[in-house]
Amino acid sequence: MAATVSSWSEKKVGNPRLPPAQPVYVLRGHQAQIHTVQFIRANTRLITGDGDGWIVVWALDSKRPTAVWKAHDNAVVGIAPWDHNRIITFHSSSHGRDNKLSVWQLGPADEAAMDKILPPADSTGHRRSPWLLHMLDVNALNFCTFASCYEQDMASRMIDRSGTNGDLPRPVLIAVPNAIDSGDIDVFQLPTEKRYFTVSRDMSANTGMVMSINISSEAEKLQVIAGYESGHTMVCRRANARSAWYTVYKSQPHSQPVLSLDVVPSQDCYFTSSADAIIAKHPLVSSNGTVSDLKPLKIVQTKHSGQQGLRVRSDGKIFATAGWDSRVRVYSTKTMNELAVLKWHKEGCYAVAFAEVDPPISSPSGDGQESTMAQELVTAKMSLALKTVQQERNEKAQLTHWLAAGSKDGKVSLWDIY
């Protein structure tokens, strides 16, 4: 269930003379540590995954669960949306067996048939699962989660050929550690479930295992960014389907494994965090040739080791990290100054997520489509009295600048800042 704590404004977060900020809501439902959190459907839903394999989908307007099921036997370490009616989950097992990437059919209409009862204390209660569309055997021995992006050239060809995508899912690329050499990266395509290619590690450096991945696509161009066990980070690119992969950037700003990385929306830089206390800002060059003399744009010694789950907000202005010391820290992407330290959890935090800033307003059902009626009301600035209570609640939830944090204590805190 959701527990209301209090609401704090932006001024109170950054003003040291006022009491510390508190979360607006605390979502209590998991019995195990939270490993991943993700906003979907224009901020109408928040998905959380825990160490026992349970998934909970929360409605942001009511702060109540709309779907609960046990997706895997062990920790869910990654979640991502695929269009408006599919959910990708990534399961990691410490004993090295049954590492799976699964795709579930879960649109707004599917939620009505799902169980809403939260995981029991023993986590053995049966729950109805969504329709399982795909399952891939992958390497998750190093607890590195997957990365995904839409295959832009294939999606464009589908639209050009038919004029509309209809109900067909857009092809998506999935990047995971290689099944044989955990320093390499495999890229699969869904819905074909085929492995498209492997991005090999740079043999000139002893990088160790891949610990964090990002993948992006623009027309036929692909880019893969990786963080490694050694503290290295590399950027590899491929110009088209017929060309080879080449490294455009390599750096080792960290002395410990890279725990997380994320790219700013403008695609001109990215950030890495590590088990050490360093957060680094790296350039993303547009050159098609190999670039070896680039250095990190900035390296900050934060004096707080173990910051992971780094995420950049959709407007590119701030990013946040989840700390082993139970703090969530918010930084400026421009200056890398620490803007806020959010302390509420008593145990370490493992994951953070930002809601999308200024998303398209969706209907109260949360179907991920723009509501013509809501848009007309906003444009005409009609009175709130003309809206239903549900519309008001749904719009408020969508437009709030949420920051969600998942912790070892099994709770998810929701903050409204900046």
Side-chain angles (χ1 to χ4, degrees):
M1 60 181 296
T4 303
V5 182
S6 64
S7 179
W8 288 75
S9 67
E10 176 183 338
K11 293 181 180 179
K12 293 181 181 178
V13 172
N15 192 333
R17 295 174 295 179
L18 295 173
Q22 294 291 304
V24 178
Y25 294 96
V26 176
L27 303 176
R28 308 171 190 268
H30 293 274
Q31 301 297 323
Q33 61 269 27
I34 306 296
H35 282 293
T36 180
V37 292
Q38 177 71 49
F39 290 92
I40 64 169
R41 298 185 206 151
N43 304 341
T44 61
R45 297 291 185 268
L46 174 69
I47 310 182
T48 55
D50 69 23
D52 288 336
W54 287 90
I55 299 286
V56 178
V57 181
W58 305 86
L60 267 298
D61 56 352
S62 65
K63 312 301 184 295
R64 294 181 180 277
T66 62
V68 180
W69 79 98
K70 191 171 176 62
H72 301 282
D73 291 331
N74 286 281
V76 177
V77 297
I79 296 174
W82 180 9
D83 288 340
H84 72 283
N85 60 352
R86 290 170 174 83
I87 304 296
I88 305 172
T89 62
F90 193 55
H91 158 231
S92 178
S93 172
S94 59
H95 51 64
R97 298 189 300 271
D98 303 326
N99 298 310
K100 305 287 186 183
L101 185 142
S102 304
V103 180
W104 310 87
Q105 171 88 29
L106 190 67
D110 301 308
E111 291 181 354
M114 294 295 296
D115 289 309
K116 276 76 172 173
I117 302 175
L118 292 165
D122 60 4
S123 296
T124 59
H126 174 73
R127 297 290 186 278
R128 182 180 304 169
S129 297
W131 185 17
L132 182 60
L133 300 175
H134 304 278
M135 180 176 287
L136 298 177
D137 292 312
V138 294
N139 175 15
L141 293 178
N142 47 0
F143 282 85
C144 172
T145 188
F146 72 101
S148 65
C149 72
Y150 291 107
E151 189 179 12
Q152 299 295 342
D153 61 327
M154 178 64 73
S156 299
R157 288 199 295 269
M158 289 173 63
I159 294 173
D160 291 341
R161 184 170 59 248
S162 63
T164 176
N165 274 329
D167 293 330
L168 294 176
R170 288 180 290 173
V172 66
L173 298 177
I174 304 291
V176 294
N178 180 264
I180 298 175
D181 186 341
S182 56
D184 296 343
I185 298 170
D186 286 335
V187 178
F188 293 85
Q189 197 255 27
L190 293 174
T192 65
E193 300 187 10
K194 294 181 179 179
R195 185 173 67 177
Y196 265 25
F197 41 78
T198 297
V199 183
S200 299
R201 73 168 83 194
D202 190 327
M203 301 306 295
S204 66
N206 183 17
T207 62
M209 298 186 297
V210 177
M211 302 296 293
S212 188
I213 308 173
N214 179 278
I215 185 170
S216 59
S217 171
E218 180 183 356
E220 290 190 338
K221 298 178 181 178
L222 286 176
Q223 175 179 273
V224 172
I225 306 175
Y228 294 90
E229 183 182 15
S230 62
H232 282 89
T233 180
M234 298 184 190
V235 180
C236 299
R237 292 202 179 120
R238 190 190 70 170
N240 54 61
R242 297 167 299 280
S243 64
W245 287 91
Y246 54 92
T247 301
V248 298
Y249 175 74
K250 178 175 66 176
S251 179
Q252 189 181 13
H254 303 284
S255 61
Q256 297 292 323
V258 176
L259 298 178
S260 59
L261 63 88
D262 202 12
V263 182
V264 299
S266 60
Q267 295 286 320
D268 56 6
C269 68
Y270 71 100
F271 297 88
T272 56
S273 69
S274 168
D276 59 25
I278 287 175
I279 294 179
K281 183 177 183 179
H282 308 271
L284 283 176
V285 296
S286 58
S287 170
N288 291 326
T290 300
V291 179
S292 59
D293 58 347
L294 291 177
K295 308 265 185 214
L297 298 174
K298 191 170 186 178
I299 297 176
V300 175
Q301 171 57 256
T302 67
K303 300 182 180 179
H304 305 292
S305 60
Q307 296 186 65
Q308 65 180 62
L310 189 153
R311 289 294 176 269
V312 180
R313 198 168 68 177
S314 62
D315 61 0
K317 294 181 179 180
I318 58 177
F319 68 92
T321 61
W324 294 349
D325 60 358
S326 77
R327 272 75 165 175
V328 174
R329 292 179 169 84
V330 181
Y331 299 88
S332 164
T333 56
K334 183 177 181 180
T335 65
M336 295 185 67
N337 291 337
E338 186 180 273
L339 303 178
V341 179
L342 309 178
K343 183 182 185 304
W344 182 85
H345 296 279
K346 303 301 182 184
E347 299 184 70
C349 294
Y350 295 154
V352 294
F354 283 108
E356 181 183 358
V357 175
D358 297 327
I361 302 301
S362 299
S363 61
S365 62
D367 60 4
Q369 306 299 319
E370 289 190 7
S371 167
T372 302
M373 179 180 179
Q375 291 295 322
E376 290 175 352
L377 290 175
V378 172
T379 303
K381 298 182 179 180
M382 296 179 68
S383 170
L384 288 177
L386 298 179
K387 296 183 180 181
T388 66
V389 173
Q390 181 63 34
Q391 284 175 315
E392 291 181 34
R393 183 185 299 170
N394 188 69
E395 183 175 326
K396 180 180 179 181
Q398 287 185 268
L399 296 179
T400 300
H401 290 181
W402 295 118
L403 169 59
S407 170
K408 186 178 179 181
D409 58 17
K411 301 177 181 66
V412 178
S413 56
L414 284 174
W415 307 77
D416 176 13
I417 60 169
Y418 299 108

